[in-house]
Amino acid sequence: MSTQNKSLFSNFSPTSKQEWKDKVDTDLKGVDFNKLIWKNFNGLNFQPFYNSEDGIESLPNTGLNSQDLVNFRSIKVSTSEEGNQLAKLAINEGVNGLLFEIDGKIQVEALLNGVDLNKVAISFLLQFDQIDFAKSFLIYAVSTLKQKENLKGYFDFRGISNYVTNGSLNKAFFDNSVELLKLTGAFPNFKAFTITGASYLDSGSNQVQEVAYSLNSLVFVVEKLMEKGVDANQIFQGLHVELAIGSEYFIEIAKFRAFHSLLNLLANEYGVTDFNPFITAKTSVWSKSVTDAHTNLLRATTEAMSAILGNVDGVLVDPYDKEFNEASQFSNRIAGNIATILKEESYLGKVANPVDGSYYIEEATQKIAEKALILFKEVEAQGGFFEAFEKGLIQDQISEIRQEKIKWISQRRLPLVGVNKYPNLMETVSSEVLSSGASSDQKLLKPRRASLEIEVVRKATELLVESIGKRPVIELCSFGNLTMRKARAAFSYDFLGVSGFKVLDEKSYDTAQLAAEASAESDSEVVVICSSDPDYQESALNFVETFRSKNSEKVLLLAGNPVDLLDQLKEAGLDGCLHIKSDVIQTLTAIQNKVQEHYKSLEV
């Protein structure tokens, strides 16, 4: 087989990267090749193609693909008995990791009755009675384990994440971490404390920031624990890290690999060369939506894939409806199935580092690591994590990236299915589940959905529907050139569907005059003119004048951007245009305001 392949490829001469580029330049027909270079929110540039000439070197210590990937399910525990029932249900559904969120007095024996700690990873998010509960759990674990190495999982006090999101740094976090490092020392695969970086990405940061700030916060904790007499080897051996997973598939793979490498580099600075951290990846809040919520299943799947390929030890997939509902048995089951299918049926957890050697991913890993290391050093130069956060440096840098992302979302340059593109017009959404807006407190980080600003627009529609008893109607009124009117009607349908108004199918007319007369008198609140630029030159002004002579209340828009006609059209009564550069939030808000004014005038 090998000989045949060599014989086959010997018939083809090697193609250099320059020859490929020359071919691309020919196909671009004068368009600048640099327009194909991808720029992302990390400030990194990536080429449209790579080959062996790129000679990219792999970073060391990027992690190993986990053969024993832990598929976590989060369980809120109100009573020991209920928590135990939910735990057994999760295990029966194929989950091999449980994260208990405990906020109160819970009996360990009752909670874990029938759960095999030799096979199932057990973790705890603890808010109160941390040490007493941990002691009870470890005593119980010893009584049920075949060997102490079998106990896998971690404790999480939310020490750092509470600080960055609530502004409170519980000093007991450090004392409790010291105590738990001692208690868990005999259990090499159970981690005593957690560093959470998910709050950064979920607040709108880029991947470089998440990696850098997570390492900065780790240094802060390490220094505090060492001041209390804990050895660096013991600290790193007891470390669990939780990172969020964003929607940029390949960049997320590279992020986790880069974090592995930088974590090892950091540990080496403390003289630690042999340690076994546990890294968990959690599907992000930022990328999820409450409109067309089933799309969250697709987002969670690609996120879990990128994390597994990035060599994490465990994944926590949130239910698709978590952002607006109490997770149901169905949504929990589907969330658990995602990681199980990826591991068992897609074999992502059964092959050795499948992305190693990919030119693109290797370069992305290298670039993210390099830039994250620079940012990490900048924060340390500012006095370290705590000082930088107290000064607002970290918040300001994340805010800058977040605002840029929101701008791109509103301009539809960053598509979110069901949010700013491809809305589900058959869906009804209660105003109660939609956001009233993002927090304005710049001193703290607030994990949030990227869609909040667009949700405010949709919420205004739903409140209007509740107040007037009907859903406002948008009419797509077309005439002239068939190809262009169809294309612009389709664009308008997609663009305006985000509002939550009822968008009717395109209605075509033989002439602009007929279209204007019919749409002016129809039962709709918004009319969109759809045709070609030559047709606009000939008939748009007449359309607007005819329309306004019959109706002065409706919102009248034009699909396209005939710059040389705009002043005349607006003077005649056109409210605005829809085109590729239109801002979703600004455009829809203006439409809503005029529709609301109309209905308020009727009340008077």
Side-chain angles (χ1 to χ4, degrees), residues 410-413 420-423 425 474 476 483-498 503 506 528-531 536 557-561 577-584 587-588:
S410 189
Q411 294 174 347
R412 308 210 315 168
R413 297 161 67 188
N420 66 351
K421 279 197 173 185
Y422 317 117
L425 272 66
I474 296 174
L476 305 177
T483 301
M484 286 306 301
R485 79 188 191 203
K486 291 289 185 184
R488 282 177 166 160
F491 173 84
S492 301
Y493 189 93
D494 188 49
F495 188 103
L496 295 171
V498 173
V503 185
E506 172 207 7
V528 185
I529 308 169
C530 303
S531 194
Y536 290 153
L557 305 171
L558 181 144
N561 192 25
C577 294
L578 300 179
H579 51 84
I580 195 69
K581 293 184 179 180
S582 294
D583 184 284
V584 168
T587 303
L588 297 185

Short mmCIF file of all heavy atoms in Angstrom, two decimals, residues 410-413 420-423 425 474 476 483-498 503 506 528-531 536 557-561 577-584 587-588:
data_model
loop_
_atom_site.label_atom_id
_atom_site.label_comp_id
_atom_site.label_asym_id
_atom_site.label_seq_id
_atom_site.Cartn_x
_atom_site.Cartn_y
_atom_site.Cartn_z
N SER A 410 -24.25 43.40 16.87
CA SER A 410 -25.30 44.31 16.42
C SER A 410 -25.17 44.60 14.92
O SER A 410 -26.18 44.86 14.26
CB SER A 410 -25.24 45.61 17.21
OG SER A 410 -26.35 46.42 16.94
N GLN A 411 -23.95 44.56 14.41
CA GLN A 411 -23.73 44.77 12.97
C GLN A 411 -23.83 43.47 12.18
O GLN A 411 -23.63 43.47 10.97
CB GLN A 411 -22.36 45.41 12.75
CG GLN A 411 -22.25 46.82 13.31
CD GLN A 411 -20.84 47.38 13.21
OE1 GLN A 411 -19.88 46.66 12.94
NE2 GLN A 411 -20.70 48.67 13.41
N ARG A 412 -24.11 42.37 12.88
CA ARG A 412 -24.26 41.04 12.28
C ARG A 412 -22.96 40.55 11.64
O ARG A 412 -22.97 39.65 10.81
CB ARG A 412 -25.40 41.02 11.25
CG ARG A 412 -26.71 41.56 11.80
CD ARG A 412 -27.92 40.96 11.18
NE ARG A 412 -27.85 40.87 9.73
CZ ARG A 412 -28.71 40.17 8.99
NH1 ARG A 412 -29.68 39.50 9.56
NH2 ARG A 412 -28.62 40.15 7.68
N ARG A 413 -21.85 41.12 12.01
CA ARG A 413 -20.55 40.62 11.55
C ARG A 413 -20.14 39.39 12.37
O ARG A 413 -19.30 38.60 11.95
CB ARG A 413 -19.48 41.71 11.68
CG ARG A 413 -19.75 42.92 10.80
CD ARG A 413 -18.98 44.14 11.26
NE ARG A 413 -17.55 43.98 11.09
CZ ARG A 413 -16.64 44.84 11.56
NH1 ARG A 413 -17.05 45.92 12.24
NH2 ARG A 413 -15.36 44.64 11.36
N ASN A 420 -29.25 37.19 16.09
CA ASN A 420 -29.15 38.29 15.12
C ASN A 420 -29.20 37.81 13.68
O ASN A 420 -29.19 38.62 12.75
CB ASN A 420 -27.88 39.11 15.37
CG ASN A 420 -26.61 38.32 15.11
OD1 ASN A 420 -26.64 37.11 14.91
ND2 ASN A 420 -25.48 39.00 15.12
N LYS A 421 -29.24 36.49 13.49
CA LYS A 421 -29.40 35.92 12.15
C LYS A 421 -30.25 34.67 12.23
O LYS A 421 -30.24 33.95 13.24
CB LYS A 421 -28.04 35.58 11.53
CG LYS A 421 -27.33 36.77 10.90
CD LYS A 421 -26.24 36.33 9.95
CE LYS A 421 -25.65 37.50 9.19
NZ LYS A 421 -24.67 37.08 8.18
N TYR A 422 -30.98 34.41 11.15
CA TYR A 422 -31.82 33.22 11.03
C TYR A 422 -32.77 33.05 12.23
O TYR A 422 -32.82 31.99 12.86
CB TYR A 422 -30.96 31.96 10.86
CG TYR A 422 -29.81 32.15 9.91
CD1 TYR A 422 -28.50 32.05 10.35
CD2 TYR A 422 -30.03 32.49 8.58
CE1 TYR A 422 -27.43 32.25 9.48
CE2 TYR A 422 -28.98 32.69 7.71
CZ TYR A 422 -27.67 32.57 8.16
OH TYR A 422 -26.63 32.79 7.30
N PRO A 423 -33.52 34.09 12.57
CA PRO A 423 -34.44 33.97 13.71
C PRO A 423 -35.56 32.98 13.41
O PRO A 423 -35.97 32.80 12.26
CB PRO A 423 -35.00 35.39 13.86
CG PRO A 423 -34.90 35.97 12.47
CD PRO A 423 -33.64 35.39 11.89
N LEU A 425 -39.06 32.54 13.33
CA LEU A 425 -40.26 33.39 13.33
C LEU A 425 -41.51 32.66 13.83
O LEU A 425 -42.54 33.29 14.05
CB LEU A 425 -40.51 33.97 11.93
CG LEU A 425 -39.80 35.30 11.63
CD1 LEU A 425 -38.30 35.12 11.59
CD2 LEU A 425 -40.28 35.92 10.34
N ILE A 474 -44.97 43.21 9.64
CA ILE A 474 -44.04 43.77 8.67
C ILE A 474 -44.38 43.20 7.30
O ILE A 474 -44.48 41.98 7.12
CB ILE A 474 -42.58 43.45 9.02
CG1 ILE A 474 -42.21 44.09 10.36
CG2 ILE A 474 -41.63 43.92 7.92
CD1 ILE A 474 -40.82 43.71 10.86
N LEU A 476 -43.35 42.91 3.27
CA LEU A 476 -42.27 43.03 2.29
C LEU A 476 -42.91 43.26 0.92
O LEU A 476 -43.52 42.35 0.35
CB LEU A 476 -41.42 41.76 2.28
CG LEU A 476 -40.82 41.36 3.64
CD1 LEU A 476 -40.05 40.05 3.52
CD2 LEU A 476 -39.94 42.45 4.21
N THR A 483 -34.62 38.97 -9.59
CA THR A 483 -33.51 38.46 -8.79
C THR A 483 -33.24 39.35 -7.58
O THR A 483 -33.13 38.87 -6.44
CB THR A 483 -32.23 38.36 -9.65
OG1 THR A 483 -32.49 37.49 -10.75
CG2 THR A 483 -31.08 37.84 -8.83
N MET A 484 -33.14 40.66 -7.82
CA MET A 484 -32.79 41.57 -6.73
C MET A 484 -33.93 41.74 -5.72
O MET A 484 -33.69 41.84 -4.52
CB MET A 484 -32.39 42.93 -7.30
CG MET A 484 -31.02 42.95 -7.95
SD MET A 484 -29.72 42.34 -6.84
CE MET A 484 -29.84 43.47 -5.46
N ARG A 485 -35.15 41.74 -6.18
CA ARG A 485 -36.24 41.92 -5.23
C ARG A 485 -36.36 40.70 -4.32
O ARG A 485 -36.67 40.83 -3.13
CB ARG A 485 -37.55 42.22 -5.95
CG ARG A 485 -38.26 41.04 -6.56
CD ARG A 485 -39.43 41.50 -7.42
NE ARG A 485 -40.29 40.38 -7.79
CZ ARG A 485 -41.08 40.39 -8.85
NH1 ARG A 485 -41.11 41.46 -9.65
NH2 ARG A 485 -41.86 39.36 -9.12
N LYS A 486 -36.11 39.50 -4.89
CA LYS A 486 -36.14 38.28 -4.07
C LYS A 486 -35.01 38.30 -3.05
O LYS A 486 -35.19 37.93 -1.88
CB LYS A 486 -36.02 37.05 -4.96
CG LYS A 486 -37.23 36.77 -5.84
CD LYS A 486 -38.41 36.31 -5.02
CE LYS A 486 -39.59 35.92 -5.92
NZ LYS A 486 -40.78 35.56 -5.13
N ALA A 487 -33.81 38.70 -3.50
CA ALA A 487 -32.65 38.72 -2.61
C ALA A 487 -32.85 39.72 -1.48
O ALA A 487 -32.57 39.43 -0.31
CB ALA A 487 -31.39 39.06 -3.42
N ARG A 488 -33.35 40.91 -1.81
CA ARG A 488 -33.51 41.93 -0.78
C ARG A 488 -34.69 41.63 0.14
O ARG A 488 -34.66 41.96 1.33
CB ARG A 488 -33.66 43.30 -1.44
CG ARG A 488 -32.29 43.82 -1.88
CD ARG A 488 -32.32 45.12 -2.61
NE ARG A 488 -30.95 45.66 -2.68
CZ ARG A 488 -30.54 46.57 -3.55
NH1 ARG A 488 -31.40 47.06 -4.45
NH2 ARG A 488 -29.30 47.01 -3.53
N ALA A 489 -35.69 40.96 -0.37
CA ALA A 489 -36.80 40.54 0.49
C ALA A 489 -36.32 39.48 1.48
O ALA A 489 -36.68 39.51 2.67
CB ALA A 489 -37.95 40.00 -0.36
N ALA A 490 -35.48 38.55 1.01
CA ALA A 490 -34.94 37.51 1.89
C ALA A 490 -34.06 38.13 2.97
O ALA A 490 -34.11 37.73 4.15
CB ALA A 490 -34.16 36.49 1.07
N PHE A 491 -33.24 39.11 2.58
CA PHE A 491 -32.38 39.79 3.55
C PHE A 491 -33.23 40.50 4.60
O PHE A 491 -32.97 40.41 5.81
CB PHE A 491 -31.48 40.80 2.83
CG PHE A 491 -30.67 41.66 3.76
CD1 PHE A 491 -29.48 41.21 4.28
CD2 PHE A 491 -31.13 42.92 4.14
CE1 PHE A 491 -28.74 42.00 5.16
CE2 PHE A 491 -30.41 43.72 5.00
CZ PHE A 491 -29.20 43.25 5.51
N SER A 492 -34.26 41.20 4.16
CA SER A 492 -35.12 41.95 5.08
C SER A 492 -35.88 41.01 6.02
O SER A 492 -36.06 41.31 7.21
CB SER A 492 -36.11 42.80 4.28
OG SER A 492 -35.43 43.70 3.43
N TYR A 493 -36.32 39.89 5.48
CA TYR A 493 -37.04 38.89 6.27
C TYR A 493 -36.18 38.42 7.44
O TYR A 493 -36.62 38.34 8.58
CB TYR A 493 -37.41 37.71 5.37
CG TYR A 493 -38.34 36.69 5.98
CD1 TYR A 493 -39.71 36.78 5.81
CD2 TYR A 493 -37.85 35.61 6.71
CE1 TYR A 493 -40.57 35.84 6.35
CE2 TYR A 493 -38.69 34.66 7.26
CZ TYR A 493 -40.06 34.78 7.08
OH TYR A 493 -40.90 33.85 7.63
N ASP A 494 -34.90 38.15 7.14
CA ASP A 494 -33.96 37.67 8.15
C ASP A 494 -33.62 38.78 9.14
O ASP A 494 -33.60 38.57 10.36
CB ASP A 494 -32.69 37.17 7.46
CG ASP A 494 -31.73 36.49 8.42
OD1 ASP A 494 -32.19 35.63 9.19
OD2 ASP A 494 -30.53 36.82 8.39
N PHE A 495 -33.37 39.98 8.62
CA PHE A 495 -32.95 41.11 9.46
C PHE A 495 -34.07 41.51 10.41
O PHE A 495 -33.86 41.65 11.63
CB PHE A 495 -32.56 42.29 8.56
CG PHE A 495 -31.93 43.44 9.28
CD1 PHE A 495 -30.57 43.65 9.23
CD2 PHE A 495 -32.70 44.35 10.00
CE1 PHE A 495 -29.98 44.72 9.89
CE2 PHE A 495 -32.14 45.42 10.66
CZ PHE A 495 -30.76 45.61 10.60
N LEU A 496 -35.27 41.69 9.91
CA LEU A 496 -36.37 42.20 10.72
C LEU A 496 -37.01 41.13 11.59
O LEU A 496 -37.68 41.45 12.58
CB LEU A 496 -37.42 42.83 9.81
CG LEU A 496 -36.96 44.09 9.05
CD1 LEU A 496 -38.00 44.51 8.03
CD2 LEU A 496 -36.67 45.23 10.02
N GLY A 497 -36.79 39.87 11.25
CA GLY A 497 -37.33 38.79 12.06
C GLY A 497 -36.80 38.80 13.48
O GLY A 497 -37.44 38.29 14.40
N VAL A 498 -35.61 39.39 13.67
CA VAL A 498 -35.00 39.48 14.99
C VAL A 498 -35.88 40.28 15.95
O VAL A 498 -35.87 40.07 17.15
CB VAL A 498 -33.60 40.14 14.87
CG1 VAL A 498 -33.00 40.42 16.23
CG2 VAL A 498 -32.68 39.25 14.04
N VAL A 503 -43.43 38.87 10.34
CA VAL A 503 -42.95 39.24 9.02
C VAL A 503 -43.67 38.39 7.97
O VAL A 503 -43.55 37.17 7.96
CB VAL A 503 -41.43 39.04 8.89
CG1 VAL A 503 -40.93 39.57 7.54
CG2 VAL A 503 -40.69 39.74 10.03
N GLU A 506 -42.91 37.79 1.17
CA GLU A 506 -42.84 38.84 0.14
C GLU A 506 -44.10 38.84 -0.73
O GLU A 506 -44.61 37.78 -1.13
CB GLU A 506 -41.61 38.59 -0.73
CG GLU A 506 -41.52 39.49 -1.94
CD GLU A 506 -40.75 38.86 -3.08
OE1 GLU A 506 -40.40 37.67 -2.97
OE2 GLU A 506 -40.52 39.55 -4.09
N VAL A 528 -41.61 47.40 3.84
CA VAL A 528 -40.24 47.44 3.31
C VAL A 528 -40.30 47.36 1.79
O VAL A 528 -40.87 46.41 1.23
CB VAL A 528 -39.39 46.27 3.85
CG1 VAL A 528 -37.94 46.42 3.37
CG2 VAL A 528 -39.44 46.23 5.37
N ILE A 529 -39.72 48.34 1.12
CA ILE A 529 -39.67 48.35 -0.35
C ILE A 529 -38.49 47.46 -0.78
O ILE A 529 -37.37 47.65 -0.34
CB ILE A 529 -39.43 49.77 -0.88
CG1 ILE A 529 -40.44 50.74 -0.28
CG2 ILE A 529 -39.49 49.79 -2.40
CD1 ILE A 529 -40.12 52.21 -0.54
N CYS A 530 -38.75 46.50 -1.67
CA CYS A 530 -37.72 45.57 -2.12
C CYS A 530 -37.65 45.57 -3.64
O CYS A 530 -38.60 45.18 -4.32
CB CYS A 530 -38.01 44.15 -1.64
SG CYS A 530 -38.17 43.99 0.16
N SER A 531 -36.51 46.02 -4.18
CA SER A 531 -36.31 46.00 -5.62
C SER A 531 -34.82 46.21 -5.90
O SER A 531 -33.99 46.13 -4.99
CB SER A 531 -37.16 47.07 -6.31
OG SER A 531 -37.19 46.83 -7.71
N TYR A 536 -35.01 51.47 -8.25
CA TYR A 536 -35.11 52.56 -7.29
C TYR A 536 -34.89 53.91 -7.97
O TYR A 536 -35.59 54.88 -7.67
CB TYR A 536 -34.09 52.38 -6.16
CG TYR A 536 -34.39 51.23 -5.22
CD1 TYR A 536 -33.37 50.58 -4.54
CD2 TYR A 536 -35.70 50.80 -5.00
CE1 TYR A 536 -33.63 49.54 -3.67
CE2 TYR A 536 -35.98 49.75 -4.13
CZ TYR A 536 -34.93 49.12 -3.47
OH TYR A 536 -35.20 48.09 -2.62
N LEU A 557 -39.60 51.57 5.04
CA LEU A 557 -38.18 51.29 4.87
C LEU A 557 -37.89 50.86 3.44
O LEU A 557 -38.80 50.45 2.71
CB LEU A 557 -37.73 50.18 5.83
CG LEU A 557 -38.02 50.40 7.31
CD1 LEU A 557 -37.73 49.13 8.10
CD2 LEU A 557 -37.20 51.56 7.86
N LEU A 558 -36.62 50.93 3.09
CA LEU A 558 -36.19 50.49 1.76
C LEU A 558 -35.02 49.54 1.91
O LEU A 558 -34.05 49.84 2.64
CB LEU A 558 -35.79 51.71 0.90
CG LEU A 558 -35.33 51.41 -0.54
CD1 LEU A 558 -35.82 52.51 -1.49
CD2 LEU A 558 -33.80 51.34 -0.61
N ALA A 559 -35.10 48.39 1.26
CA ALA A 559 -34.02 47.40 1.31
C ALA A 559 -32.96 47.75 0.28
O ALA A 559 -33.20 47.65 -0.92
CB ALA A 559 -34.56 46.00 1.06
N GLY A 560 -31.81 48.19 0.73
CA GLY A 560 -30.74 48.65 -0.16
C GLY A 560 -30.15 49.93 0.37
O GLY A 560 -30.53 50.41 1.46
N ASN A 561 -29.26 50.52 -0.39
CA ASN A 561 -28.61 51.75 0.07
C ASN A 561 -28.31 52.68 -1.12
O ASN A 561 -27.15 52.93 -1.45
CB ASN A 561 -27.31 51.41 0.83
CG ASN A 561 -26.74 52.62 1.56
OD1 ASN A 561 -27.47 53.54 1.90
ND2 ASN A 561 -25.44 52.60 1.79
N CYS A 577 -33.20 52.80 5.72
CA CYS A 577 -32.82 51.73 4.80
C CYS A 577 -32.33 50.51 5.56
O CYS A 577 -31.83 50.61 6.69
CB CYS A 577 -31.71 52.21 3.85
SG CYS A 577 -32.23 53.50 2.72
N LEU A 578 -32.45 49.37 4.93
CA LEU A 578 -31.89 48.11 5.44
C LEU A 578 -30.83 47.64 4.45
O LEU A 578 -31.12 47.46 3.27
CB LEU A 578 -32.97 47.04 5.55
CG LEU A 578 -34.17 47.31 6.46
CD1 LEU A 578 -35.13 46.12 6.40
CD2 LEU A 578 -33.73 47.55 7.89
N HIS A 579 -29.62 47.46 4.94
CA HIS A 579 -28.55 46.95 4.08
C HIS A 579 -27.50 46.25 4.94
O HIS A 579 -27.64 46.18 6.18
CB HIS A 579 -27.93 48.08 3.25
CG HIS A 579 -27.51 49.27 4.05
ND1 HIS A 579 -26.30 49.35 4.70
CD2 HIS A 579 -28.17 50.44 4.31
CE1 HIS A 579 -26.20 50.51 5.32
NE2 HIS A 579 -27.32 51.19 5.11
N ILE A 580 -26.47 45.78 4.32
CA ILE A 580 -25.50 44.91 4.98
C ILE A 580 -24.79 45.61 6.13
O ILE A 580 -24.33 44.98 7.08
CB ILE A 580 -24.45 44.38 3.94
CG1 ILE A 580 -23.67 43.20 4.52
CG2 ILE A 580 -23.53 45.50 3.50
CD1 ILE A 580 -24.51 41.97 4.71
N LYS A 581 -24.71 46.97 6.09
CA LYS A 581 -24.03 47.71 7.15
C LYS A 581 -24.98 48.25 8.21
O LYS A 581 -24.55 48.94 9.13
CB LYS A 581 -23.22 48.86 6.54
CG LYS A 581 -22.05 48.40 5.68
CD LYS A 581 -21.22 49.58 5.18
CE LYS A 581 -20.04 49.10 4.34
NZ LYS A 581 -19.23 50.23 3.83
N SER A 582 -26.24 47.94 8.10
CA SER A 582 -27.22 48.44 9.08
C SER A 582 -26.97 47.80 10.44
O SER A 582 -26.64 46.62 10.55
CB SER A 582 -28.65 48.12 8.62
OG SER A 582 -28.98 48.82 7.45
N ASP A 583 -27.16 48.59 11.48
CA ASP A 583 -27.01 48.12 12.85
C ASP A 583 -28.36 47.59 13.34
O ASP A 583 -29.37 48.31 13.31
CB ASP A 583 -26.53 49.27 13.74
CG ASP A 583 -26.26 48.84 15.16
OD1 ASP A 583 -27.23 48.66 15.91
OD2 ASP A 583 -25.07 48.68 15.51
N VAL A 584 -28.38 46.34 13.78
CA VAL A 584 -29.63 45.70 14.19
C VAL A 584 -30.30 46.44 15.33
O VAL A 584 -31.50 46.76 15.27
CB VAL A 584 -29.37 44.23 14.59
CG1 VAL A 584 -30.60 43.64 15.28
CG2 VAL A 584 -29.03 43.40 13.38
N THR A 587 -31.47 50.07 14.31
CA THR A 587 -32.55 50.04 13.32
C THR A 587 -33.86 49.56 13.93
O THR A 587 -34.92 50.19 13.75
CB THR A 587 -32.17 49.14 12.13
OG1 THR A 587 -30.94 49.59 11.56
CG2 THR A 587 -33.25 49.14 11.06
N LEU A 588 -33.80 48.44 14.65
CA LEU A 588 -35.03 47.90 15.21
C LEU A 588 -35.60 48.78 16.32
O LEU A 588 -36.82 48.89 16.47
CB LEU A 588 -34.78 46.48 15.74
CG LEU A 588 -34.38 45.45 14.69
CD1 LEU A 588 -34.27 44.07 15.33
CD2 LEU A 588 -35.36 45.41 13.53
#
